[in-house]
């Protein structure tokens, strides 16, 4: 059987999911091989948007140094080929979100700002073209906020905190999308990671506002409770929740309106911010 684009895409996807440290490089090598074959006249193996998205995803998963910048370079290559008239290379929402995810996982200096820049580029592009294929969604916003939660450099903490809540405000203002349980989990991670442990007042103020919004939206689940418990003191947690637990049994005993939209077992494998308290400025929100 002669391999085609679908065959090559499946192999690239397998590398992206493999967890092998060579995965991102191998994925890009296969992409380049497809280009060589296509340029030599084999039209059955032309790379497409899915091919590029999968290679970018391989870089996002790799966590290696420089992976985010390389993912963004691949996006730029797609954009150029699309502008040059080849519609098979059109970047879409998943493409941009995967690049943002690569920045989120990089832990590099300025990652949160870079992630927000990509989101803003998507927003402006959608406003200008009204193209639904490049419209940001809640997953895109969550990826930017996750970049904030993963911020490691102390000089970036204040900026990352501001970006996270700026993106949350934008998401909350949209008529056709809304924050979900994962959004609130990420934002509590932002508070836990970027606000100083000793500034209990600020941590509680942020956490209270988030928890109230989460309850109103009906997205309280065990992951939200877990992050809430990490962010505030034990006494504050009990005063907010009414009990000490964070597991599914605890969630089931909460008010139904608090949990009505939550998927109790969704996204349990998603990484949402690293642990530890960091220095940050006190703000009101």
């Amino acid at each position: 059987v002669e391999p085609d684009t679908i065959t090559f895409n499946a192999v690239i996807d397998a590398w992206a999911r493999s967890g092998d440290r060579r995965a991102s490089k191998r994925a890009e090598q296969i992409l380049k091989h497809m280009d060589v074959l296509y340029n030599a006249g084999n039209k059955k193996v032309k790379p497409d948007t899915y091919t590029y998205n999968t290679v970018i995803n391989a870089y996002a998963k790799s966590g290696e140094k420089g992976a985010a910048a390389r993912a963004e370079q691949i996006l730029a290559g797609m954009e150029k080929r699309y502008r040059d008239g080849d519609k098979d290379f059109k970047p879409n929402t998943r493409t941009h979100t995967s690049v943002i995810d690569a920045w989120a996982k990089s832990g590099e200096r300025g990652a949160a700002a870079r992630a927000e820049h990509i989101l803003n580029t998507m927003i402006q592009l959608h406003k200008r073209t009204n193209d639904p294929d490049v419209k940001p969604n809640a997953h895109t916003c969550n990826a930017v906020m996750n970049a904030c939660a993963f911020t490691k450099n102390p000089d970036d903490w204040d900026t990352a905190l501001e970006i996270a809540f700026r993106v949350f405000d934008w998401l909350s203002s949209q008529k056709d999308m809304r924050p979900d349980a994962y959004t609130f989990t990420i934002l509590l991670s932002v508070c836990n990671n970027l606000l100083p442990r000793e500034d209990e007042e600020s941590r509680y103020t942020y956490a209270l506002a988030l928890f109230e919004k989460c309850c109103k939206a009906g997205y309280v689940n065990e992951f939200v409770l877990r992050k809430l418990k990490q962010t505030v003191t034990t006494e504050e947690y009990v005063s907010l929740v009414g009990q000490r637990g964070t597991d599914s049994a605890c969630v089931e005993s909460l008010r139904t309106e608090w949990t009505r939209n939550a998927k109790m077992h969704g996204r349990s494998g998603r990484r949402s911010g690293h642990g530890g308290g960091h220095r940050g400025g006190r703000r009101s929100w």
Side-chain angles (χ1 to χ4, degrees):
V1 178
E2 187 177 2
D4 57 12
T5 299
I6 295 175
T7 310
F8 279 101
N9 285 350
V11 175
I12 293 173
D13 188 57
W15 273 108
R17 296 171 183 272
S18 70
D20 191 291
R21 60 183 179 82
R22 302 168 296 166
S24 57
K25 297 292 191 301
R26 289 293 295 134
E28 188 171 2
Q29 286 172 358
I30 295 168
L31 167 61
K32 290 178 178 178
H33 181 58
M34 291 174 72
D35 261 331
V36 169
L37 294 176
Y38 174 72
N39 291 330
N42 188 345
K43 305 305 180 184
K44 293 183 179 181
V45 297
K46 181 182 181 183
D48 57 17
T49 298
Y50 185 88
T51 314
Y52 274 83
N53 285 354
T54 309
V55 173
I56 289 172
N57 189 45
Y59 274 103
K61 290 176 177 293
S62 73
E64 64 187 41
K65 186 175 181 180
R70 183 59 194 143
E72 195 163 348
Q73 288 169 359
I74 293 171
L75 168 60
M78 289 181 71
E79 291 172 333
K80 182 180 185 305
R81 296 179 78 160
Y82 179 67
R83 286 194 305 268
D84 289 344
D86 195 328
K87 305 306 180 184
D88 288 333
F89 294 98
K90 180 182 181 181
N92 56 24
T93 301
R94 183 186 174 190
T95 315
H96 292 87
T97 302
S98 293
V99 175
I100 292 172
D101 193 44
W103 279 111
K105 290 179 169 64
S106 73
E108 294 181 22
R109 179 76 194 276
R114 197 67 210 155
E116 186 188 29
H117 173 77
I118 296 170
L119 170 62
N120 288 339
T121 299
M122 295 175 69
I123 293 171
Q124 294 306 314
L125 181 60
H126 179 256
K127 283 182 178 179
R128 187 170 69 250
T129 64
N130 201 31
D131 183 352
D133 289 342
V134 295
K135 183 179 181 180
N137 55 31
H139 298 296
T140 313
C141 295
N142 287 346
V144 177
M145 288 182 270
N146 218 21
C148 298
F150 279 123
T151 298
K152 295 179 180 179
N153 192 294
D155 293 335
D156 286 347
W157 291 336
D158 287 351
T159 299
L161 187 66
E162 293 169 1
I163 290 171
F165 285 95
R166 187 158 59 233
V167 172
F168 176 76
D169 288 342
W170 181 84
L171 174 59
S172 300
S173 71
Q174 301 305 297
K175 295 180 180 180
D176 55 350
M177 66 182 92
R178 61 184 180 182
D180 55 21
Y182 189 51
T183 308
F184 291 106
T185 303
I186 296 168
L187 282 174
L188 286 167
S189 292
V190 168
C191 296
N192 183 48
N193 295 342
L194 303 183
L195 289 169
R197 179 67 58 182
E198 63 273 13
D199 189 358
E200 294 181 357
E201 182 179 353
S202 291
R203 292 169 70 90
Y204 178 74
T205 299
Y206 274 90
L208 172 63
L210 282 171
F211 188 63
E212 288 178 343
K213 290 176 185 290
C214 188
C215 290
K216 185 176 180 180
Y219 279 115
V220 178
N221 64 16
E222 59 194 271
F223 307 112
V224 170
L225 293 184
R226 195 172 301 151
K227 286 299 178 182
L228 177 66
K229 193 170 188 178
Q230 292 172 4
T231 305
V232 299
T233 66
T234 301
E235 292 75 16
E236 289 167 343
Y237 178 82
V238 172
S239 72
L240 291 172
V241 179
Q243 51 191 309
R244 294 177 179 272
T246 63
D247 58 12
S248 57
C250 171
V251 175
E252 289 173 2
S253 68
L254 297 176
R255 299 176 187 175
T256 303
E257 62 266 30
W258 287 8
T259 62
R260 65 188 185 278
N261 293 319
K263 294 181 179 179
M264 299 313 304
H265 301 292
R267 299 187 182 275
S268 60
R270 294 290 295 272
R271 190 174 166 213
S272 59
H274 53 87
H278 299 318
R279 182 196 156 279
R282 178 180 169 186
R283 324 173 155 23
S284 60
W285 173 59

